Amino acid sequence: MPTLRAAAKLVLPQVTEEWAFAVDHPDGFIALSGVRGPGGELNDLVWDYTNPAAETMLDMRLTDLQGRGVAEVLPLARTGGLLARMARVMETGEPYVDEVLFPLGNRERWFRLVALKRGDGLSLWFTDITRRKREERETGFLAEASHLLTASLDVESALHELARRCVPMLGDGCALQVMDSGGQPLLLETVATEPSREVVLREVLRRYAEEHSAPCLAGLRLPRDTPQLLVDLTPPLLQSLTRDAEHLRLMQALRPHSLIAVPLRAHGRTLGALVLFTFRERTYGPEDLRFAEELADRVALSVDNVLLFREARHAVAQRDEFFTVAAHELRTPTTSLKLNVQSLLRGARRGDVGALPPALLAKLENIDRNAGRLNALVNELLDVTRIHAGRLRLDLEQVDLAALTQEVAARFELPATQSHSPLLLELSGPTEGAWDRLRLEQVVTNLLSNALKYGAGKPVHVRVEADAQLARLVVRDEGIGIAPESLPRLFGRFQRAVSDRHYGGLGLGLYITRQIVQALGGTVSVRSAPGAGATFTVELPRQASV
C-alpha cells in the first residue's frame, strides 16, 4: 500500500513509528476507512490493511478481512461503543487509548488500543495484553479466596461461598467435594450458571460422589490424584469416562464442553477435588489448569489447617476431660489421706497413743505436708479445667484485701521461717472491694508461695494499697529472678521459668492467678531480672465488673 509507505512520521502515546515500518511492527496495526451515512454519521469502519502481527492476534488473514466492516467481524465493536469512540476520534482528531475485551474464537482476548485520525480514515495500533489482564484477574481472585478461607474457622461456609465465586469467573459449572480427616464428606457443593444444569450436576454428585470415600471427580473415571485437563469432551470420550448408562445420560444432559479436575492435596493427604466445567464455546487450556491447581492448593491448605485445628481442639477437650476425671478421682483419696494423717498427728501430740519416737513424728509431719501439696496440685488441675471450659464461678462480696492478705501471710509463717524468708507486710489500712473471697485468697496464696519458693532465703515484701478506684497488691522477693526471655510466657499454662528438677509444681499457679485476676476485671504484671528478684503487681477495680 503506497499510501502507507508515503505517510509522515506519527508520535503516539508510548508509540513512535513511521507508517512505512508499521507493516513489520511487532504490535498489531490496522488501517481503517470510515463508512458514513447520508447524514454524514459514521456507520462503520472498513478494513483497508492489517499487518502480520494483527493477523496473528485476530487469527484472521488480510484476505479474509479486507473490505469487511469492523462491526461485522467484531460484533462487540458496535455494542461495546467502540464505533462511537472511533467516530469521536475522526470528529475531534484527539487520539483514543483504551483497554478492550473481545471474544475471539473460543477465547477472550484483551487488547490495548491506540487510535489516530488519518485523513478520512483511522489507524489503529493494538497490543495483546491478555496475559497481563489474566494475571491481574487471577491474582485478585486468589487474594479474595485466601481472605475468604482464612477469615473464619467456619470452613464449610467459606467453601460454599468460594464455589459460588468460581462461576462464572472460572467456568460455567463447579463441583467442590471436601472430606474430613476420617474420609467422611465435609462438603459437597455444586454451582452452575443455569439452574437446570445445576440440578443435573447435583444429581451426578449425589449418585456418584457419596459412594466413594475418596474424591471421585463427579464420578468420572479419571485419576484421583493427578490434575486433569480435558479440552474437548467429545461424545465418545464422555462415554468412556462414565460408569454406567444412567451416569452417561446425566452427563449428556449436562453437556459439558471442556473440563478441569484437580485434587485437593495437603501434607500427603487427598482431601477432596475441584472440578470445573464449561458448557459453551469456551475451551480450557494449560493456563486454566495451572490456575485451578494454585487455587486448589490454597483450598487444600486452608481445609487441612482447619481440620488440624479441630483435631487439636478435640484432643484438648479429651485432655481436659481426663484432667477433670483424674483430679476428681484423686481428690477423694488424697483428702482422706490428709484427714487421717492430721488425726494421727493430733492424737500423737495429745499423747493419746503414748509418746511417739521423734523420727516417727517427723515422718507423719512429712506425710501431712506432702498430702497437702498433692491436694493443692489436684485443686490446680481442677481449676485449670474449669477455666478452660469457662466454668470459673465468682461469688462477689465485700472483701478487705489488707485483712485477707494478713490472714494468708499468717498461714505462711512456718514455711517462711523454714525457708529463711521472712514476710514483711506493709498494709495501709482497710482496702475493701467487691471480689470473690476464696478466689482472691487463692491469688494471694499463689503469689506468696511463689515468692517463698524462689526467694533464695531473703525477705519477701508484701504491700497493699489503694485509691478511690483501684486496690493494689505488690509481692516482691529478692531471689533468683527471671530471665527476660521467660517473662512473656510466665503466665501460660504449664509454663516454668526454671528447671523442675530444682523447683516443684506443675507450672499452673501463675496461670490460674492471671485468670482469676482477669475474671475480676483486674491485671497482674511482673518485673524481674536474673539475680534481682521479682515483683508481682495485682491491680483490681474496687467495684469489679464481671
Side-chain angles (χ1 to χ4, degrees):
M1 296 184 64
T3 55
L4 289 177
R5 296 186 179 278
K9 179 180 289 187
L10 298 177
V11 179
L12 306 178
Q14 300 181 1
V15 178
T16 302
E17 189 58 70
E18 292 186 9
W19 285 18
F21 300 108
V23 174
D24 301 316
H25 195 276
D27 291 339
F29 172 80
I30 299 172
L32 306 167
S33 296
V35 178
R36 298 184 179 275
E41 72 280 4
L42 182 68
N43 285 343
D44 204 350
L45 290 165
V46 175
W47 248 273
D48 286 337
Y49 175 77
T50 302
N51 76 341
E55 289 181 323
T56 301
M57 291 182 191
L58 297 171
D59 197 23
M60 297 180 184
R61 300 191 61 80
L62 174 60
T63 53
D64 301 322
L65 294 169
Q66 204 164 20
R68 296 177 66 187
V70 173
E72 176 189 355
V73 178
L74 302 174
L76 283 181
R78 185 179 298 279
T79 59
L82 184 60
L83 279 180
R85 295 186 181 94
M86 297 299 100
R88 180 172 177 79
V89 173
M90 295 181 65
E91 292 168 3
T92 65
E94 297 178 359
Y96 167 70
V97 181
D98 199 2
E99 294 180 351
V100 182
L101 172 66
F102 278 114
L104 297 176
N106 56 9
R107 307 283 289 178
E108 291 182 342
R109 303 284 289 275
W110 279 91
F111 297 104
R112 181 180 184 273
L113 303 182
V114 178
L116 284 181
K117 184 176 180 180
R118 178 180 65 85
D120 291 333
L122 288 171
S123 290
L124 189 67
W125 279 262
F126 62 104
T127 306
D128 191 336
I129 58 171
T130 303
R131 179 180 293 275
R132 174 171 67 81
K133 298 295 285 188
R134 179 190 181 95
E135 289 175 352
E136 290 175 357
R137 184 175 66 169
E138 290 179 353
T139 300
F141 187 85
L142 287 175
E144 289 181 7
S146 296
H147 175 73
L148 186 66
L149 292 167
T150 56
S152 169
L153 291 174
D154 184 3
V155 68
E156 291 87 350
S157 296
L159 291 172
H160 172 83
E161 177 61 24
L162 180 62
R164 294 283 159 187
R165 294 188 187 185
C166 285
V167 176
M169 167 68 184
L170 306 183
D172 302 316
C174 170
L176 181 60
Q177 180 187 7
V178 181
M179 299 172 297
D180 62 22
S181 54
Q184 297 302 310
L186 183 68
L187 180 93
L188 199 60
E189 186 67 42
T190 57
V191 187
T193 51
E194 300 175 20
S196 59
R197 279 179 162 143
E198 184 168 338
V199 170
V200 175
L201 186 56
R202 189 179 302 118
E203 179 65 14
V204 169
L205 263 71
R206 187 188 71 81
R207 286 174 175 264
Y208 298 99
E210 295 179 355
E211 295 177 0
H212 305 274
S213 59
C216 62
L217 309 178
L220 298 174
R221 297 182 183 277
L222 293 169
R224 295 174 178 173
D225 295 329
T226 307
Q228 300 294 312
L229 169 62
L230 303 182
V231 175
D232 187 8
L233 275 168
T234 61
L237 177 59
L238 198 60
Q239 184 171 7
S240 69
L241 293 175
T242 50
R243 297 180 176 274
D244 51 40
E246 178 61 15
H247 192 193
L248 177 60
R249 185 190 69 79
L250 289 170
M251 293 304 294
Q252 287 173 336
L254 191 62
R255 301 191 307 280
H257 171 67
S258 195
L259 176 147
I260 285 176
V262 288
L264 307 179
R265 292 185 57 80
H267 300 108
R269 293 193 299 174
T270 300
L271 303 173
L274 172 66
V275 185
L276 300 169
F277 301 90
T278 63
F279 299 143
R280 298 182 179 86
E281 295 78 12
R282 177 179 175 183
T283 300
Y284 287 131
E287 288 186 345
D288 299 298
L289 178 62
R290 174 196 56 76
F291 178 69
E293 288 182 88
E294 189 168 351
L295 177 61
D297 287 343
R298 299 194 183 200
V299 172
L301 183 60
S302 176
V303 171
D304 189 54
N305 287 338
V306 170
L307 292 179
L308 289 174
F309 174 79
R310 290 180 179 179
E311 290 172 8
R313 187 167 57 182
H314 180 65
V316 168
Q318 288 184 316
R319 182 202 65 190
D320 289 345
E321 183 180 0
F322 169 77
F323 280 161
T324 301
V325 173
H328 276 294
E329 290 298 318
L330 288 170
R331 199 173 195 179
T332 300
T334 55
T335 301
S336 177
L337 173 64
K338 186 169 179 61
L339 290 174
N340 280 289
V341 171
Q342 287 179 338
S343 177
L344 286 174
L345 280 172
R346 284 194 299 270
R349 288 165 183 158
R350 289 196 308 264
D352 294 347
V353 292
L356 290 180
L360 181 56
L361 187 61
K363 288 180 179 179
L364 283 174
E365 290 172 343
N366 187 46
I367 292 173
D368 181 49
R369 283 194 300 273
N370 281 289
R373 183 181 169 207
L374 181 59
N375 204 42
L377 294 176
V378 169
N379 286 332
E380 281 187 347
L381 285 175
L382 280 172
D383 279 339
V384 167
T385 55
R386 290 190 190 106
I387 290 168
H388 193 255
R391 297 197 302 266
L392 184 65
R393 242 184 63 185
L394 296 177
D395 296 318
L396 301 185
E397 58 179 306
Q398 284 299 116
V399 179
D400 184 348
L401 178 58
L404 185 144
T405 301
Q406 194 168 25
E407 292 172 12
V408 174
R411 294 201 294 270
F412 276 92
E413 184 176 344
L414 179 59
T417 301
Q418 291 172 338
S419 63
H420 306 290
S421 295
L423 295 175
L424 305 180
L425 271 61
E426 184 182 339
L427 308 176
S428 58
T431 306
E432 294 190 349
W435 303 307
D436 183 306
R437 173 179 292 277
L438 291 178
R439 292 300 179 185
L440 193 55
E441 181 179 325
Q442 198 173 354
V443 168
V444 178
T445 298
N446 285 345
L447 292 180
L448 292 186
S449 174
N450 191 73
L452 291 175
K453 182 188 296 184
Y454 303 112
K458 297 177 182 179
V460 172
H461 305 266
V462 183
R463 185 173 78 253
V464 176
E465 57 190 19
D467 56 29
Q469 283 78 37
L470 292 176
R472 186 175 295 106
L473 168 67
V474 181
V475 178
R476 178 172 63 87
D477 66 69
E478 301 175 16
I480 61 175
I482 304 166
E485 62 270 17
S486 298
L487 289 175
R489 56 183 175 84
L490 193 63
F491 292 97
R493 280 188 300 176
F494 305 105
Q495 295 295 332
R496 309 175 58 85
V498 295
S499 170
D500 57 3
R501 293 181 61 187
H502 301 95
Y503 298 91
L506 295 174
L508 292 172
L510 291 178
Y511 168 76
I512 294 171
T513 295
R514 169 169 279 185
Q515 297 302 313
I516 293 173
V517 170
Q518 289 180 341
L520 290 169
T523 62
V524 57
S525 59
V526 59
R527 295 195 321 272
S528 183
T535 301
F536 288 84
T537 302
V538 173
E539 291 187 335
L540 293 168
R542 301 185 71 170
Q543 294 297 323
S545 175
V546 294

